[in-house]
Amino acid sequence: MTDGPDGLDAHGSPQDGALPRNVPALLLRLQQEGFSGTVTVSASPGGTIHLRDGLIGAIETPGTPSVESVLLKSGRVDDKGWAAGLTAVRHGGEHAAALVGQGLTGAAELEILCVATVFEGAFAMSLVRPEGWEVGAVAPAVLAPRGIEPRTVAEETTRRLALVSRQWGSPADLARAKMRPSARADRVAGQLTSRYQALLAVANGRRSPRDLAFTLGRGLFGVMVDLIRMNDLQLVQWENGLPADRPSTAPRLLPGGRRVTTEARTPPGELPRRTAVARRSDPGHPDGLDS
Amino acid sequence: MYAGSSVTSLASLVDVLASLREKVMGVSESVLSTTDGLLVAADTDTAQPEAVAALAAATLGLGARMAEQAGTGALRDVVIRCGGGHVVVLAVGERALLSVLGDEGLDVAALQRETPATVEQLTGLLEGDVPA
């Protein structure tokens, strides 16, 4: 078992002999070793990354629905079929192969779902700073038939974080926001796509994007992107006002009455120093699964 | 809003329940009830608080008897795991019960980390029910 500290470097590459600096660095090292097993990340939400021969086969996290959740919620597979798959696992088989073998889902369909869930899980886990991790033995899971390279997952997670940051602001803030349909949504309900209608039907002011994802059996990132677009179309109203999407540009005063300005105050040759008031809200933590 | 000993303490109780929903991923609703199944306070959406309150008493009672029969020590909580969600029932002091409803992705580990503080807060608020 290996316990790792919280990584702070977003560009960690494995270093021989040293503890990996973050989860992506750990995954790269495990890929080089051809490791099969699990990496359990402690955070809120944490999660379990399943590796086979160094490649990511599945990510399970409370932050986004698992393959099981999506299959059961959509009605694609019923409880009885799922349980039959679990029986196959006990007899040494693969859960995914059992589900396909029983005709409950197509092989390609399941593979697409498994791959999508890996990327969704990585995105959900990247929204918080990991507290630590533990490398453990192989555990049963519905694995993507072909594992995905950790670097590919990290790059896609970076792209997703950047996209939400660009179009909205802090992904972590959006993940916590609660919303309900606006008055305009009721007026134009008939013209909306079924995806938007489904989201509006369950957005009750108590559910975060993560809760909506579980309610509908969809991925977190897809729900967040839809909500950003729905916000632009004025279809949703946010509880407790609009979540902070960017820092205010209102004049700020430093102790002593000095104003924060864009004028360069740093003497030549010295590095600029961050001031406490210039901080923006949490933009997500690239040391999670980002590269 | 549901019956409680006073309006002030009811709002405080509901605040504690809502706070649990904010702190633990996957918690969707919760109900505080007496050990004899009467509703005290609820942070619910679609669940029927009175029905959950009544069933909580029966659930924890059955759990305690099963634990005693199995010789597994003092009961901590009853976790009901379903295809589409979780229900967790635990005692709040000697006279109240907390039922937590969550989705299938409920962060059970986080819930078990948070519930001692929640139970302590609720117990403190409920102490006012007993005349000094």
Side-chain angles (χ1 to χ4, degrees), chain A residues 43-46 61-63 65 68-69 72-73 79 176 178 204-207 210-211 214, chain B residues 21-23 25-30 43-46 83-84 103-107 110 113:
Chain A
S44 183
T61 166
E68 175 182 0
S69 291
L72 292 179
K73 189 75 74 178
D79 270 320
R176 284 191 293 267
K178 314 280 170 63
N204 59 1
R206 295 169 58 95
R207 294 190 172 110
R210 175 257 172 223
D211 298 335
F214 270 92
Chain B
R21 175 161 53 86
E22 293 296 327
K23 286 179 189 160
M25 200 164 266
V27 169
S28 49
E29 306 177 73
S30 57
D43 170 47
T44 51
D45 177 24
T46 55
D103 57 34
E104 65 270 35
L106 173 68
D107 193 341
R113 276 199 310 272

Side-chain angles (χ1 to χ4, degrees), chain A residues 6 25 70-71 83 97 113 115 134 143 148 175 215 228 243 258 260 287:
Chain A
D6 173 8
V70 175
L71 285 175
L113 178 57
V115 170
E134 200 170 75
L143 299 171
I148 307 161
T215 305
I228 292 171
R258 195 157 47 90
V260 179
D287 49 329

Side-chain angles (χ1 to χ4, degrees), chain A residues 20-101:
Chain A
R21 286 172 290 181
N22 51 27
V23 177
L26 172 70
L27 294 176
L28 286 175
R29 178 181 289 184
L30 293 173
Q31 183 186 12
Q32 287 176 350
E33 295 170 2
F35 174 79
S36 291
T38 56
V39 175
T40 304
V41 179
S42 307
S44 183
T48 303
I49 303 164
H50 296 264
L51 298 167
R52 292 292 185 277
D53 302 324
L55 301 178
I56 301 175
I59 295 182
E60 296 171 324
T61 166
T64 191
S66 62
V67 171
E68 175 182 0
S69 291
V70 175
L71 285 175
L72 292 179
K73 189 75 74 178
S74 64
R76 192 71 184 78
V77 173
D78 60 15
D79 270 320
K80 197 175 161 190
W82 186 261
L86 286 175
T87 308
V89 173
R90 204 174 61 230
H91 293 128
E94 282 282 343
H95 201 162
L99 292 171
V100 173

